[in-house]
Amino acid sequence: MSAGLEVHSTRGRPALHEAALRLRHAAYLHHGHLEPRADGRFDDAHDALDDAESLLCTLDGQPVGTIRALRRAAGAPLHRLLCHAAFPDEVAAAVGDAPAIEFCRFAVHPGCGGPAFLRVKVALLKAALAIVATEGFRLAVASVRDEHLRFY
């Protein structure tokens, strides 16, 4: 990883989790994908799941990117995956009863441009793939909507 660029799990780290939610809000708001929220956070019910985890990328200690991992155990309800809400038939066919992990709510700080933008995205995706490998998932999904392509 580049000097000054680090990826942190927010599990059990409330201050980092709060920073990830605020960064997510700023990025989605900046790109017109979200109405302003009074609390300045972009979270949903999936963030409260016991096995949900946000990763926060920092550059020289400042939050610059985030991505969320949603884990689904074998046979658990498909609605544990955010993509199921948008693509229920496709997700049911692709995932079935298998354990799966979804990466979603990818966001890069609106002020992060140029080469740093790509470095942040690569660092987060490498950290996401490390989770897949270390936890033994054979299926990882992401439901990227056209309007969110800039984040991915």
Side-chain angles (χ1 to χ4, degrees):
M1 228 175 287
S2 300
L5 191 66
E6 298 179 304
V7 177
H8 313 271
S9 170
T10 66
R11 274 185 159 177
R13 302 167 85 181
L16 289 181
H17 187 68
E18 181 69 20
L21 297 177
R22 289 186 176 285
L23 187 149
R24 192 190 297 170
H25 180 272
Y28 277 70
L29 182 65
H30 176 80
H31 292 289
H33 304 307
L34 183 72
E35 292 296 319
R37 295 186 176 182
D39 63 2
R41 306 166 76 221
F42 180 19
D43 58 344
D44 59 35
H46 287 85
D47 286 298
L49 295 173
D50 57 349
D51 54 1
E53 175 182 14
S54 287
L55 302 176
L56 180 68
C57 184
T58 59
L59 179 60
D60 298 328
Q62 297 302 307
V64 290
T66 185
I67 193 168
R68 180 175 66 189
L70 297 174
R71 294 162 177 84
R72 178 198 177 245
L78 285 170
H79 68 264
R80 290 184 68 86
L81 302 175
L82 184 63
C83 59
H84 183 258
F87 308 103
D89 296 335
E90 295 85 347
V91 171
V95 177
D97 285 333
I101 187 166
E102 177 182 19
F103 294 101
C104 56
R105 301 294 192 226
F106 198 173
V108 177
H109 191 281
C112 185
F117 180 77
L118 182 58
R119 288 177 31 225
V120 169
K121 290 186 356 177
V122 168
L124 287 166
L125 289 174
K126 285 172 80 174
L129 291 174
I131 291 172
V132 172
T134 59
E135 295 184 23
F137 283 99
R138 297 186 60 122
L139 180 63
V141 297
S143 58
V144 184
R145 298 181 188 152
D146 287 344
E147 65 268 19
H148 298 162
L149 281 175
R150 182 185 192 291
F151 296 130
Y152 293 81

